[in-house]
Amino acid sequence: MKRLGVLISGKGSNLRAVLEKKPRGVEVACVISNVPGVLGLEVARTHGVETHVIRHQDSPSREAFDATIVKLLEASRVDFVLLAGFMRLLTPVFLNAFSRRVINVHPSLLPAFPGAHAVRDALLYGVKVTGATVHFVDEGTDTGPIILQRAVPIEDGDDEAALHARVQKIEHEIVPLAVELWASGRLALDGRRVRAHG
Ligand code: GRF
């Protein structure tokens, strides 16, 4: 069993997908939120998962915030980390501690529409297809090597909420799959290309 730490800032529907789909070889060891009172913390508790709230406002710097989280993850003997709607950028303090062991989910077909408003940006741009991406995290914003990606067509009547809901359905399929692939050691990195074998 590989122990997964999940970082959240909100409703935690991707966390819920992992807890409900129970990817093989993966145990959710702990959930950390930087925002108190969010639904995702409730989701974790319902499944009997240890939770922590670390408010970023309480740390003197980004590095200090990251160091606090790393300490907690290490205390929970976490092997790898999923950012599931975690709305903070990580510093090298975190990324060096969990090098190639941090995975993020993003609601667009990267490299299109990185950043915090990917669904809105895709609608405003007028693309006809968007999607969801699961990728390794590097020091850039949504720039790391892509693990899985699936497309979602944009319909004429879509608003941000309707489109985001369809994108999230796809996220809930590819996030559990990606963590299962990682846990079983089937992901190989070749430059920027991630190959899933077996
Ligand atoms: C997802 O759409 C994810 O792509 C983005 O933040 C959202 C989190 O959703 N990074 P949830 O909290 O897992 O429901």
Side-chain angles (χ1 to χ4, degrees):
M1 277 286 178
K2 296 290 184 189
R3 294 172 64 79
L4 176 66
V6 184
L7 271 49
I8 61 167
S9 304
K11 72 179 195 292
S13 69
N14 282 289
L15 165 66
R16 187 195 300 272
V18 170
L19 289 167
E20 288 179 354
K21 295 206 169 155
K22 300 185 181 19
R24 266 169 297 175
V26 179
E27 180 183 349
V28 178
C30 70
V31 170
I32 302 173
S33 173
N34 66 317
V35 183
V38 292
L39 187 59
L41 288 165
E42 214 33 63
V43 171
R45 287 188 202 112
T46 308
H47 284 82
V49 176
E50 164 192 324
T51 61
H52 303 271
V53 175
I54 308 293
R55 287 161 32 100
H56 55 275
Q57 299 92 331
D58 294 343
S59 292
S61 65
R62 281 180 180 277
E63 287 76 12
F65 172 69
D66 282 7
T68 306
I69 294 184
V70 166
K71 237 184 173 170
L72 274 176
L73 293 170
E74 286 175 347
S76 288
R77 292 172 290 110
V78 155
D79 297 299
F80 68 133
V81 179
L82 171 67
L83 308 184
F86 184 66
M87 302 307 280
R88 304 293 298 170
L89 292 178
L90 297 175
T91 69
V93 168
F94 195 109
L95 295 173
N96 293 337
F98 284 94
S99 179
R100 285 284 169 256
R101 295 187 290 151
V102 188
I103 290 171
N104 182 45
V105 53
H106 182 78
S108 76
L109 289 179
L110 290 171
F113 311 116
H117 308 289
V119 176
R120 189 190 314 167
D121 292 345
L123 272 176
L124 287 174
Y125 195 95
V127 291
K128 301 299 186 193
V129 178
T130 185
T133 303
V134 182
H135 65 94
F136 284 116
V137 175
D138 65 9
E139 284 173 32
T141 303
D142 304 319
T143 51
I146 292 168
I147 301 169
L148 292 172
Q149 221 165 21
R150 273 190 208 160
V152 173
I154 295 183
E155 288 160 15
D156 287 351
D158 273 342
D159 60 11
E160 190 176 343
L163 179 57
H164 199 183
R166 290 209 311 287
V167 169
Q168 286 224 280
K169 275 198 176 157
I170 299 298
E171 293 181 345
H172 301 159
E173 291 171 15
I174 64 177
V175 167
L177 184 55
V179 297
E180 183 169 307
L181 287 170
W182 190 95
S184 62
R186 277 180 286 165
L187 295 180
L189 203 61
D190 169 16
R192 282 199 52 89
R193 295 183 73 183
V194 179
R195 293 206 175 82
H197 52 85

